[in-house]
């Protein structure tokens, strides 16, 4: 599906993009600066159809994860059109390839808004891509629906965060590890915004909860060399590894992990970016028994999920798994539809105004939009990877968790943002 390395240009350009956007968003700014004098986006709603933007990496190191998210978005658009569209207008999806390159994401976002005149955009995966496009959506006052769990410490008036924020994934994962007596952690991640910020949060939690971080290592996004890191992990005396690697770097990491004689039984790994699609790509022989933290699995019970899985596999193949980011992307389009129809308009300001309290009986269970933060109430779930490639839930939070992107409800997190 994709190569095992990201281009040098992509890495250098990504670093440049992060450098320019960090001042706007990486330190937890709650709203965009909007320094440009550009007018608000002028979406074209005059015809019988309206355009929606789909912005995903269809090539490069992140394609292993993002192609299926793109497919889930297309499924949602197809379903909505079959049911009559939105406000009587059919949706026309316009796909753009971010190509695992953060400046490309920003360029494509601007093209969707200014050239294609989309009414909303759905996509991005990595926090690097989200932070690259964030100033673009804020500049043009256009909406982005972001489908993937992330590190929190961010809020934008023009982004709806449909994936989990920190207190809905990372904090419950740490609570679970602590309850299992796995208190000595080794942190392994890709070298960009999400893993570094997530690990900053993990270290603050560990210090407050009597846990210990015994090692911390990062690899460039797209890296395929993990022998040094795995050997350090093996010798560190850890109880568990907390994995924030993204994309196809996970393939190389888990193959090296097994080659070093490590397994879920000897040294479990809890991953927050490996879902069913990645399990299939990496190989169950390398992942069986390992842990994941998400809000949805293909095996999540309920009629809404049965319908979603059947629809997705009817469209893309009986052997195609569903996953958390795919499900969040899928429901993001349906949530936007509910907002637009409640507002009676495609106008961004009107859609935002009515967003709070919008509910959906989603495949993951009941979700509700929090209008104050533009995040979603979500149920946290810990799963274990089986030999069949499916992930079986071993714990859940019992009810949807209120989003707390700045971790205001945790004393140990004071000062992180």
């Amino acid at each position: 599906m994709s190569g095992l390395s990201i281009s040098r240009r992509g890495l250098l350009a990504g670093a440049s993009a992060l450098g320019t956007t960090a001042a706007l968003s990486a330190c937890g700014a709650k709203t965009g600066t909007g320094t440009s004098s550009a007018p608000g986006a002028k979406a074209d709603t005059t015809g019988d159809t309206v355009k929606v933007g789909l912005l995903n990496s269809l090539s490069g190191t992140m394609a292993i994860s993002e192609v299926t998210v793109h497919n889930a978005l297309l499924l949602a658009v197809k379903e909505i059109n079959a049911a009559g569209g939105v406000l009587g207008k059919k949706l026309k999806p316009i796909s753009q390839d971010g190509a695992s390159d953060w400046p490309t994401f920003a360029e494509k976002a601007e093209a969707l808004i200014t050239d294609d005149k989309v009414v909303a955009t759905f996509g991005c995966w990595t926090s690097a891509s989200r932070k690259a496009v964030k100033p673009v959506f804020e500049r043009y006052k256009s909406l982005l629906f972001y489908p993937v769990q992330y590190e929190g410490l961010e809020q934008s008036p023009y982004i709806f965060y449909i994936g989990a924020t920190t207190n809905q994934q990372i904090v419950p994962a740490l609570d679970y590890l602590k309850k299992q007596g796995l208190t000595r952690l080794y942190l392994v991640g890709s070298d960009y915004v999400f893993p570094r910020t997530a690990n900053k949060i993990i270290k603050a939690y560990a210090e407050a909860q009597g846990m210990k971080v015994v090692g911390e290592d990062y690899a460039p996004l797209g890296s395929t060399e993990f022998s040094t890191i795995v050997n350090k992990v093996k010798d560190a005396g850890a109880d568990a590894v907390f994995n924030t690697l993204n994309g196809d770097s996970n393939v190389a990491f888990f193959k090296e992990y097994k080659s070093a004689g490590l397994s879920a039984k000897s040294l479990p790994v809890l991953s927050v970016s490996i879902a069913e699609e990645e399990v299939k790509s990496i190989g169950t022989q390398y992942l069986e028994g390992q842990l994941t933290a998400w809000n949805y699995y293909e095996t999540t019970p309920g009629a809404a999920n049965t319908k979603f899985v059947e629809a997705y596999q009817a469209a893309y193949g009986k052997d195609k798994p569903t996953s958390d980011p795919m499900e969040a992307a899928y429901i993001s389009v349906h949530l936007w539809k509910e907002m637009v129809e409640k507002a009676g308009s495609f106008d961004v300001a009107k859609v935002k105004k009515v967003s709070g309290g919008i509910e959906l009986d989603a495949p993951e269970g009941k979700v509700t939009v929090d209008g104050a933060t533009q995040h979603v109430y979500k149920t946290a779930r810990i799963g274990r990877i089986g030999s069949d490639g499916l992930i079986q839930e071993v714990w859940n939070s019992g009810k949807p968790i209120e989003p707390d992107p700045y971790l205001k409800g945790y004393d140990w997190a004071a000062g992180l943002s």
Side-chain angles (χ1 to χ4, degrees):
M1 184 181 302
S2 66
L4 289 180
S5 63
I6 191 168
S7 68
R8 178 173 174 81
R9 172 189 174 271
L11 286 172
L12 294 176
S16 174
L18 289 179
T20 56
T21 59
L24 295 176
S25 55
C27 294
K30 295 186 180 180
T31 59
T33 57
T35 54
S36 170
S37 59
K42 291 182 172 62
D44 184 1
T45 61
T46 58
D48 295 333
T49 64
V50 293
K51 297 176 183 177
V52 293
L54 312 185
L55 183 56
N56 311 104
S57 291
L58 305 180
S59 61
T61 193
M62 290 306 302
I64 187 176
S65 299
E66 295 191 56
V67 167
T68 53
V69 168
H70 179 261
N71 291 343
L73 291 169
L74 289 173
L75 175 63
V77 169
K78 181 180 178 181
E79 289 180 350
I80 289 169
N81 283 339
V86 181
L87 297 182
K89 298 179 185 287
K90 295 296 179 70
L91 305 181
K92 181 179 180 180
I94 306 297
S95 298
Q96 291 282 9
D97 181 9
S100 305
D101 179 75
W102 324 141
T104 298
F105 266 92
E107 293 166 10
K108 299 296 187 180
E110 186 163 20
L112 286 169
I113 296 167
T114 62
D115 297 339
D116 297 306
K117 295 179 171 55
V118 298
V119 292
T121 300
F122 304 84
C124 296
W125 179 294
T126 67
S127 289
S129 64
R130 188 192 68 253
K131 287 186 180 295
V133 305
K134 179 173 175 282
V136 177
F137 285 95
E138 292 174 344
R139 178 186 181 195
Y140 290 103
K141 299 180 174 62
S142 186
L143 291 180
L144 169 68
F145 285 73
Y146 178 66
V148 185
Q149 46 74 263
Y150 82 114
E151 70 281 358
L153 307 183
E154 181 181 293
Q155 187 175 322
S156 169
Y158 296 100
I159 300 176
F160 280 90
Y161 303 79
I162 310 303
T165 188
T166 316
N167 74 306
Q168 299 167 319
Q169 186 198 32
I170 291 176
V171 173
L174 291 168
D175 288 343
Y176 178 82
L177 291 176
K178 183 183 177 185
K179 288 177 182 177
Q180 303 304 308
L182 305 174
T183 61
R184 293 172 58 82
L185 306 180
Y186 201 108
L187 311 181
V188 177
S190 297
D191 194 5
Y192 75 102
V193 178
F194 165 63
R196 286 194 174 273
T197 306
N199 287 343
K200 178 181 175 182
I201 293 167
I202 291 169
K203 287 184 285 187
Y205 174 101
E207 183 177 358
Q209 298 294 325
M211 300 174 77
K212 185 175 179 61
V213 173
V214 298
E216 180 178 2
D217 271 298
Y218 299 90
L221 194 63
S223 176
T224 61
E225 174 50 54
F226 283 95
S227 58
T228 300
I229 289 177
V230 169
N231 284 332
K232 289 170 68 176
V233 169
K234 188 175 183 179
D235 295 336
D239 296 327
V241 176
F242 203 107
N243 173 30
T244 53
L245 291 169
N246 259 270
D248 47 16
S249 288
N250 279 297
V251 178
F253 173 74
F254 278 100
K255 286 183 177 180
E256 187 66 41
Y257 205 76
K258 184 175 181 179
S259 294
L262 298 174
S263 66
K265 185 175 182 180
S266 65
L267 185 57
V269 180
L270 191 150
S271 301
V272 292
S273 293
I274 290 180
E276 287 85 345
E277 181 65 24
E278 289 78 20
V279 171
K280 183 177 180 181
S281 298
I282 296 166
T284 55
Q285 68 270 32
Y286 301 107
L287 293 171
E288 185 178 355
Q290 301 289 13
L291 299 168
T292 64
W294 290 105
N295 308 101
Y296 164 88
Y297 299 112
E298 184 177 326
T299 57
T300 297
N305 188 37
T306 299
K307 180 181 177 182
F308 170 57
V309 173
E310 289 177 351
Y312 186 84
Q313 293 182 343
Y316 298 107
K318 286 293 184 182
D319 61 334
K320 300 298 184 183
T322 57
S323 68
D324 183 290
M326 293 163 58
E327 188 264 357
Y330 171 81
I331 68 171
S332 71
V333 188
H334 285 282
L335 285 169
W336 169 78
K337 172 184 179 290
E338 294 298 316
M339 295 176 195
V340 170
E341 293 189 338
K342 183 176 179 180
S345 172
F346 293 100
D347 180 77
V348 168
K350 293 178 181 178
V351 169
K352 281 164 44 64
K353 185 176 181 180
V354 304
S355 64
I358 293 287
E359 295 183 349
L360 197 66
D361 181 17
E364 68 183 83
K366 181 180 177 181
V367 297
T368 307
V369 177
D370 176 46
T373 65
Q374 295 184 179
H375 288 64
V376 176
Y377 284 70
K378 299 174 77 72
T379 300
R381 304 178 191 276
I382 306 298
R384 180 174 287 113
I385 299 168
S387 59
D388 57 359
L390 296 177
I391 303 174
Q392 300 293 337
E393 183 180 298
V394 296
W395 175 89
N396 72 64
S397 58
K399 63 180 182 179
I401 300 171
E402 180 180 358
D404 184 7
Y406 285 88
L407 297 172
K408 294 179 180 178
Y410 302 87
D411 291 340
W412 53 262
L416 283 175
S417 60

